[in-house]
Amino acid sequence: MSKMKKTQTDKEKTIIMSGNYAAAWGAKCARVKVVSAYPITPQTTVVEKMAEFVDTKELDANYIKVESEHSVMSSLVGSSMTGARSFTATSGQGLLYMTEMLHWVSSSRLPIVTTIASRGIAPPWNIWAEYTDILSIRDCGWIIQFASTHQEIFDSVLMSYKIAENEDVMLPYFIVYGGFTQSHTSKPVRIPRQTDVDNFLPAPPEKGWSHLNLDPENPITHGNLLMPQQEYLDFRFLIHDSMMKSKKTIHRTIKEFKKSFGRDYKGLVEKYRCDDADVVMISYGALAEQNKNAVDTLREKGRKVGSFKLRYIRPFPTEELMELFDSGVKVIGVADQGTAFGSPTGGPISTEVMSLLGSGKRKIKVLPIIWGLGGRNVTVDEQINLYKHLLRLKNKNEYPVDDAFQQGTYWLGLKTGA
Amino acid sequence: MKKDDNKSSNITCPIYKSWRELPHIPVSKGQKGSIGETGDWRTFRPEIDKKKCNKCGICYVYCPDGVIVFKEGSVPEIDYTYCKGCGICKVKCPKKVIEMIQERE
Ligand code: SF4
Ligand code: SF4
């Protein structure tokens, strides 16, 4: 017992904290230099905790209070251009209000990290877990990673800066988790020794980023006009190219993290009992984590089902999905906790998965699913039921017959008067 | 890895033959008139009344195009090759000694 206690205090300490505090602790341990903040539910306690860290001098950083999320990101553009490690957090409408500057960040290739406590989009007002906020800005050149546990939120902040600041990547990074279900619930989080964090994540270069450095002694202009025949098109290609190639850096960083801290985040996806599965459900966020329970229950009854968690959607895990398609799987469900109105399925990620699937001559059947919008509860029993729909599709070639199945997509929990 | 410089205007701008040679982003160093002689765009010309000017340099600070040359203790000079005639200097001059005069052909 006493020995265990010693290892606790020596190498790491375990603190019970909310998901939001886990994000703030991550930024503190990453020794961010600039925090810009505007409050919005359910993210607010992230930047509140950061203010406390700065106020008590536990963190040596500049804390900028601004009047809107647009200004949050604008101020971080400035700070990051000086080579300062920069951080903020937002949610829902706040993220949408930031949108213009999000492009400014990625197209300036600035490695800013932002944590998102995702929530429904208004109107009608909704502040509970749903990912339409992040999904609707998925193509703006930021890496997008979901964190489905409190520990993963903390750990991801450390990894994110190492990935984003890599010379070959130089792209901004979102870490996303659900509002309230993750942001405001409390769990134990293991906080490593600061020296171990510093060894894993060294400070950014003194002289600033090599491609862009604001220095009064050497004035530059950035972001000015490029004519159609100049390299505008080529610079656009570079962003996409770097994003696709960042997969290598992501894999390497996950390996290094495991070596330093013992926790293994596998890769761009996490497969759960998928190896011999006939039926696999693809999803993301905390509901993907919960889905493992549904799989275990069905496996006990001999059903060959698996769960496939997307940890990243940008860059998209194309290779991993292709591998899944070629594994002998017969039926796939893709569950979106967010909407893409008017898209082929109504869900952004199911649309993307189906577009990949269509690129080969495969005979895999797909059921797009929408679940958990606006924080609507999704139980393990309901997830088991969804697997039963998928199994029926495999065994009898029958799509769901109830009224929640609309235009080819299953809207779990849709009120149908039944 | 710069190729031939672009000679179509008076500026030096590298021309890249391949995306593989590009830096992460384009950045320009300060140089005069990178988009040509913008003084041609002017409709109104700012003129400083040298006798009434108090040499405070405020016009120099506010000129968005950096075309006012100012040395401590002397009346500022406007570089008309590049002054676009926006009139900000006139508005900001505390002594109201800058007048905007219509250009003629
Ligand atoms: S008119 Fe505008 S551009 Fe010309 S000197 Fe005055 S402030 Fe500068
Ligand atoms: S602002 Fe007016 S008074 Fe001051 S230096 Fe310029 S012209 Fe002269």
Side-chain angles (χ1 to χ4, degrees):
Chain A
M1 183 65 198
S2 66
K3 203 175 161 204
M4 224 182 98
K5 217 173 172 185
K6 193 156 180 290
T7 38
Q8 279 261 321
T9 48
D10 267 9
K11 290 204 73 179
E12 61 181 22
K13 56 187 171 195
T14 302
I15 306 176
I16 294 176
M17 63 174 79
S18 68
N20 277 349
Y21 277 19
W25 270 92
K28 172 191 178 287
C29 291
R31 294 185 190 273
V32 299
K33 278 280 170 237
V34 178
V35 181
S36 186
Y38 189 80
I40 184 166
T41 305
Q43 160 286 123
T44 304
T45 55
V46 178
V47 293
E48 278 178 3
K49 189 71 184 168
M50 293 311 290
E52 191 185 309
F53 283 142
V54 174
D55 186 48
T56 55
K57 305 211 160 39
E58 285 171 82
L59 174 68
D60 174 23
N62 283 303
Y63 192 92
I64 313 173
K65 290 166 283 182
V66 292
E67 78 292 354
S68 75
E69 286 86 357
H70 189 278
S71 302
V72 164
M73 208 36 85
S74 307
S75 54
L76 292 188
V77 166
S79 65
S80 184
M81 278 184 180
T82 68
R85 195 169 275 165
S86 304
F87 177 80
T88 191
T90 193
S91 300
Q93 314 293 122
L95 179 64
L96 300 184
Y97 192 19
M98 254 180 208
T99 305
E100 184 205 353
M101 296 318 291
L102 297 180
H103 284 271
W104 200 267
V105 172
S106 57
S107 299
S108 308
R109 310 297 298 269
L110 297 171
I112 295 169
V113 172
T114 300
T115 56
I116 309 290
S118 273
R119 70 177 231 193
I121 298 295
W125 285 109
N126 183 285
I127 53 175
W128 294 276
E130 179 194 319
Y131 296 104
T132 303
D133 50 5
I134 192 76
L135 292 167
S136 66
I137 52 94
R138 66 191 178 279
D139 296 321
C140 69
W142 286 57
I143 292 173
I144 300 175
Q145 185 222 311
F146 291 94
S148 45
T149 68
H150 287 45
Q151 185 71 52
E152 191 177 0
I153 296 170
F154 171 84
D155 291 344
S156 298
V157 180
L158 305 185
M159 284 185 271
S160 65
Y161 279 109
K162 204 175 168 79
I163 295 163
E165 290 171 5
N166 183 288
E167 185 64 26
D168 297 328
V169 179
M170 275 295 159
L171 286 170
Y173 198 117
F174 282 126
I175 297 160
V176 189
Y177 52 90
F180 291 102
T181 50
Q182 288 177 274
S183 66
H184 284 65
T185 53
S186 289
K187 296 258 174 155
V189 175
R190 291 154 73 178
I191 309 288
R193 251 190 329 211
Q194 189 62 46
T195 47
D196 293 336
V197 176
D198 293 344
N199 285 336
F200 172 76
L201 178 69
E206 276 284 312
K207 306 190 302 285
W209 319 123
S210 64
H211 69 292
L212 176 63
N213 183 23
L214 287 195
D215 170 11
E217 301 303 317
N218 294 296
I220 51 164
T221 309
H222 154 255
N224 40 5
L225 190 75
L226 275 186
M227 304 300 276
Q229 296 318 318
Q230 290 179 301
E231 293 82 9
Y232 183 86
L233 181 152
D234 312 80
F235 282 115
R236 300 279 106 181
F237 167 72
L238 278 192
I239 296 171
H240 178 65
D241 190 52
S242 303
M243 174 81 82
M244 298 313 263
K245 287 176 182 160
S246 73
K247 293 176 183 181
K248 235 169 78 188
T249 310
I250 292 170
H251 281 293
R252 196 177 52 238
T253 306
I254 289 171
K255 279 209 187 82
E256 284 172 25
F257 187 87
K258 186 185 169 206
K259 228 172 117 201
S260 300
F261 304 107
R263 289 182 288 278
D264 186 1
Y265 288 100
K266 305 278 187 340
L268 277 80
V269 303
E270 192 198 322
K271 288 174 271 187
Y272 188 72
R273 305 183 84 163
C274 285
D275 277 350
D276 63 336
D278 294 329
V279 164
V280 168
M281 184 122 66
I282 299 169
S283 55
Y284 46 86
L287 285 178
E289 197 60 31
Q290 182 185 291
N291 216 15
K292 292 174 179 173
N293 297 317
V295 168
D296 286 342
T297 306
L298 288 161
R299 280 278 178 179
E300 269 166 36
K301 292 181 185 146
R303 307 283 187 278
K304 283 158 78 177
V305 297
S307 178
F308 192 97
K309 181 167 82 179
L310 305 174
R311 293 192 64 243
Y312 286 80
I313 57 160
R314 290 293 180 271
F316 201 67
T318 305
E319 293 79 6
E320 290 83 350
L321 281 163
M322 287 301 193
E323 222 172 82
L324 172 71
F325 298 160
D326 293 336
S327 69
V329 68
K330 312 237 165 22
V331 169
I332 287 172
V334 191
D336 265 300
Q337 196 172 0
T339 47
F341 303 129
S343 74
T345 64
I349 301 305
S350 57
T351 296
E352 294 190 354
V353 170
M354 285 177 81
S355 85
L356 263 191
L357 196 54
S359 66
K361 284 207 178 91
R362 297 182 188 82
K363 294 228 166 62
I364 299 170
K365 292 197 187 74
V366 185
L367 178 66
I369 297 155
I370 306 264
W371 67 13
L373 296 189
R376 178 75 70 84
N377 203 19
V378 176
T379 64
V380 176
D381 281 345
E382 284 171 313
Q383 288 175 315
I384 291 172
N385 239 334
L386 284 171
Y387 273 108
K388 287 182 180 161
H389 280 305
L390 297 177
L391 285 162
R392 221 186 45 219
L393 185 54
K394 177 182 100 59
N395 297 331
K396 298 188 177 157
N397 196 19
E398 274 172 25
Y399 281 88
V401 287
D402 61 292
D403 211 20
F405 185 62
Q406 290 288 339
Q407 289 118 17
T409 297
Y410 196 80
W411 290 68
L412 180 69
L414 187 70
K415 297 193 177 182
T416 55
Chain B
M1 226 175 294
K2 297 169 189 173
K3 301 300 164 203
D4 329 310
D5 282 345
N6 182 353
K7 293 268 166 49
S8 65
S9 65
N10 62 341
I11 51 158
T12 43
C13 171
I15 289 183
Y16 295 96
K17 293 227 160 82
S18 161
W19 61 269
R20 292 175 199 280
E21 299 163 354
L22 291 178
H24 279 323
I25 57 158
V27 156
S28 41
K29 300 248 159 71
Q31 56 186 358
K32 226 176 190 178
S34 59
I35 203 143
E37 300 192 347
T38 49
D40 291 352
W41 304 2
R42 194 173 55 236
T43 317
F44 291 93
R45 181 176 72 255
E47 269 183 16
I48 300 173
D49 184 336
K50 294 199 169 86
K51 291 204 193 87
K52 292 189 192 146
C53 165
N54 72 356
K55 303 162 186 162
C56 67
I58 286 175
C59 53
Y60 153 79
V61 172
Y62 276 95
C63 172
D65 287 302
V67 302
I68 301 181
V69 185
F70 175 63
K71 276 193 216 92
E72 209 73 55
S74 42
V75 176
E77 268 173 48
I78 296 170
D79 184 344
Y80 292 110
T81 315
Y82 299 109
C83 163
K84 289 191 282 204
C86 66
I88 287 173
C89 53
K90 174 199 158 82
V91 173
K92 286 294 167 187
C93 171
K95 300 288 287 178
K96 303 272 172 262
V97 298
I98 302 180
E99 219 183 312
M100 300 301 290
I101 294 159
Q102 181 145 24
E103 298 281 8
R104 300 188 193 280
E105 309 255 346

